[in-house]
Amino acid sequence: MTGGALAGAVARSAPDGIPRRQSAREPAARTYARALPIVPVRARGLTIEGADGRRYLDCLSGAGTLALGHNHPVVLEAIRDVLDSGAPLHAFDLATPVEDAFISELFRTLPSGFADRARVQFCGPTGSDAVEAALRLVRAATGRTDVLAFTGAYHGMTTGSLEASGPAVGVADLVDTADRRVVRLPCPQDYRCPFGVGGERGAELTARWTESVLDAPESGVRPPAGMILEPVQGEGGVVPAPDAWMRRMRRITAERSIPLIADEVHTGVGRTGAFWAVEHSAIVPDVMVLSKAIGGSLPLAVIVYREDLDVGEPGAHAGAFRGNQLAMAAGTATLAHVRTNGLAERAATLGAHMLDQLRRVARHFPCVGDVRGRGLMIGVEMVHPAGDRGPGSPGLDGGGGGGGVGRLGDAASDLGPPTHGQSAPAWAASAVRPHPAAPELAAAVQRECLRRGLIVELGGRHASVVRLLPPLTITDEQTAAVLDRLADALEAVARAIP
Ligand code: PMP
């Protein structure tokens, strides 16, 4: 739409009434629209302009889908090229020059040792579709049903479409719902470490837990079809997995012939300071789940996997929207731009700077419990500084439990088995525990940011983590503006605490 036509459409739809009409006509489950009452009409790079003429710095970036920010020129050009060429916009899974170029660029970016033996499967357009496809793939390849996943993980929203489909449409043999289980394992994290120790020791204990669950017959866990993990949990509150732990998970799964699925929907395309987040630990997973930024702001999702897992019969995977040519062209342009401009390295440098600055700011505000992240995936966890942090706080992976603010240090070597209602062991009494999560303070920070023209996201176990996902193209000046506005917002919230 031209600028004039867009202005006309905005005028006709009476922007003043849009939020009201949206709340009258769309579901109560609306999320972003509740916290961010903006009617975006124009956007470029980091900036969004609302119908009211206000401009915002957008650190939500379409939930991390916009690696290059809004309407990057290389993305627009790629889309226009396809439109002007007369190519079909929709091509199912037929081979096209646009698809071929996308696959070549994608394979060029993959971790070494993976691309030579990899297959790529185009899924439905969302990350959830690709996660479903990955799980179906490993179930078919192993003949097993159960899946290992981690506390705090987020892998999507789909459920049940296959179960509800009838044999008449030829998917009966894919319907294998009987007695499927997800075995949930502890995720290593410093601030709310499930074992109350954080750091390397905490990660080591979570790894040992995983081993013992897999190896002890009394755990009741059947040999699983696969393990799925996020190299940095995103929706779970920006929780980076330690590199050594990632290598350990790779070893544990390889030794037991369990396919390892890396869900890089959130972390891919330079976001964490490496092109793919698995590169930080130098592991090669068996399956990678990719979406969000790979479509260059348009919907696209794929899985890439080791070719020997490719046991599916024709028809084992279907979906009407797997051939979105515009998304593939936008994605090719995005992947190539990130690669040729070293934007992953830029994300690493900028992210380290932002973490450093935010940690300095946080020292002044006891209501900031933790600042963490990797690359341009950053989280600021809000807490109640005066709250109870005794052993009665929630336990495994819950709010208020665990340690890591002040480490246990040598006391960790006294770790014993869980006490099951007996009095707490000596080491637990000496553990410095995190403060209880403060979702209402996080929501207040989000509101104060918005007043200052900054859009941020919330997430985490208790929606108490303020999340920043700026585009990888953010400039130094814009970074300074984002940090200033966030620091001001934190100050306003801290000042208002009684
Ligand atoms: N996996 C991860 C790690 C995600 O962060 C998300 C979405 N935030 C998904 C899967 C699901 O993607 P989608 O919302 O596109 O279905």
Side-chain angles (χ1 to χ4, degrees):
M1 195 182 294
T2 62
L6 177 63
V10 168
R12 275 195 304 284
S13 61
D16 286 350
I18 288 177
R20 184 179 41 77
R21 285 197 292 281
Q22 187 193 41
S23 68
R25 300 192 291 209
E26 294 187 31
R30 286 175 347 273
T31 51
Y32 299 113
R34 283 176 189 280
L36 305 169
I38 302 167
V39 180
V41 292
R42 252 175 298 272
R44 188 81 169 192
L46 178 69
T47 308
I48 281 187
E49 189 183 318
D52 59 1
R54 276 201 79 190
R55 291 161 78 90
Y56 301 86
L57 302 182
D58 179 16
C59 282
L60 171 56
S61 295
T65 53
L66 304 171
L68 305 183
H70 294 275
N71 294 333
H72 192 282
V74 300
V75 170
L76 296 184
E77 190 188 335
I79 291 173
R80 280 194 197 107
D81 282 351
V82 176
L83 289 176
D84 293 345
S85 74
L89 298 183
H90 179 295
F92 288 110
D93 59 356
L94 304 181
T96 67
V98 174
E99 186 207 50
D100 189 58
F102 174 78
I103 296 175
S104 299
E105 182 57 42
L106 176 66
F107 275 36
R108 206 165 168 172
T109 68
L110 289 174
S112 55
F114 191 44
D116 333 337
R117 300 176 299 136
R119 300 248 162 182
V120 59
Q121 175 178 309
F122 288 84
C123 308
T126 71
S128 307
D129 294 317
V131 168
E132 289 284 350
L135 297 179
R136 217 158 50 238
L137 178 89
V138 295
R139 283 183 170 128
T142 60
R144 304 171 186 163
T145 52
D146 296 351
V147 169
L148 306 173
F150 291 89
T151 49
Y154 182 78
H155 298 292
M157 281 267 172
T158 51
T159 174
S161 57
L162 198 54
E163 280 95 333
S165 303
V169 292
V171 292
D173 52 339
L174 300 177
V175 183
D176 175 18
T177 57
D179 194 24
R180 256 187 211 169
R181 278 182 265 168
V182 171
V183 176
R184 205 155 294 282
L185 299 163
C187 162
Q189 52 177 320
D190 287 349
Y191 190 61
R192 298 192 187 280
C193 173
F195 299 102
V197 291
E200 281 175 24
R201 180 83 177 135
E204 163 67 18
L205 290 171
T206 60
R208 278 202 218 167
W209 181 290
T210 297
E211 277 171 340
S212 68
V213 158
L214 287 173
D215 294 343
E218 66 273 19
S219 72
V221 173
R222 301 178 297 199
M227 170 189 280
I228 182 164
L229 54 73
E230 295 160 87
V232 181
Q233 285 191 353
E235 305 298 337
V238 193
V239 182
D243 294 341
W245 181 86
M246 289 285 286
R247 285 191 283 274
R248 190 76 173 273
M249 290 305 110
R250 178 63 285 188
R251 208 169 59 234
I252 288 172
T253 48
E255 284 168 0
R256 293 161 183 78
S257 302
I258 301 168
L260 178 64
I261 305 168
D263 181 346
E264 290 242 24
V265 168
H266 215 105
T267 50
V269 195
R271 169 67 50 199
T272 69
F275 204 102
W276 304 107
V278 289
E279 291 168 31
H280 292 297
S281 56
I283 68 157
V284 178
D286 302 300
V287 185
M288 286 172 72
V289 184
L290 313 177
S291 187
K292 290 199 170 169
I294 65 160
S297 75
L298 297 179
L300 188 65
V302 301
I303 54 173
V304 188
Y305 53 95
R306 251 184 33 219
E307 61 189 358
D308 56 295
L309 295 173
D310 198 36
V311 299
E313 297 292 319
H317 185 77
F321 283 114
R322 288 173 297 137
N324 185 335
Q325 304 292 294
L326 292 183
M328 289 177 194
T332 307
T334 301
L335 295 172
H337 192 80
V338 171
R339 179 176 57 77
T340 54
N341 290 277
L343 293 188
E345 294 76 16
R346 167 98 178 133
T349 311
L350 262 188
H353 167 72
M354 289 179 81
L355 277 181
D356 186 51
Q357 294 294 309
L358 284 169
R359 285 185 177 134
R360 281 169 204 267
V361 168
R363 280 191 216 131
H364 303 286
F365 305 120
C367 58
V368 176
D370 194 27
V371 176
R372 57 181 179 259
R374 192 150 206 181
L376 289 174
M377 210 169 157
I378 292 173
V380 176
E381 181 157 348
M382 303 302 296
V383 297
H384 287 295
D388 169 30
R389 23 175 212 179
S393 304
L396 184 70
D397 210 33
V405 183
R407 299 280 152 63
L408 281 168
D410 292 338
S413 57
D414 293 331
L415 280 169
T419 51
H420 297 301
Q422 299 157 23
S423 58
W427 61 265
S430 64
V432 176
R433 289 169 179 265
H435 298 286
E440 68 287 1
L441 294 185
V445 172
Q446 189 184 40
R447 276 194 305 276
E448 290 297 331
C449 284
L450 196 65
R451 280 163 51 109
R452 290 162 177 77
L454 174 64
I455 299 174
V456 295
E457 161 75 310
L458 299 185
R461 271 54 166 181
H462 308 273
S464 59
V465 180
V466 177
R467 295 163 60 205
L468 298 174
L469 292 162
L472 315 186
T473 48
I474 186 173
T475 64
D476 291 346
E477 297 71 34
Q478 288 171 328
T479 304
V482 166
L483 290 171
D484 276 350
R485 292 181 199 192
L486 180 55
D488 283 355
L490 286 168
E491 189 175 0
V493 170
R495 230 186 302 117
I497 296 174

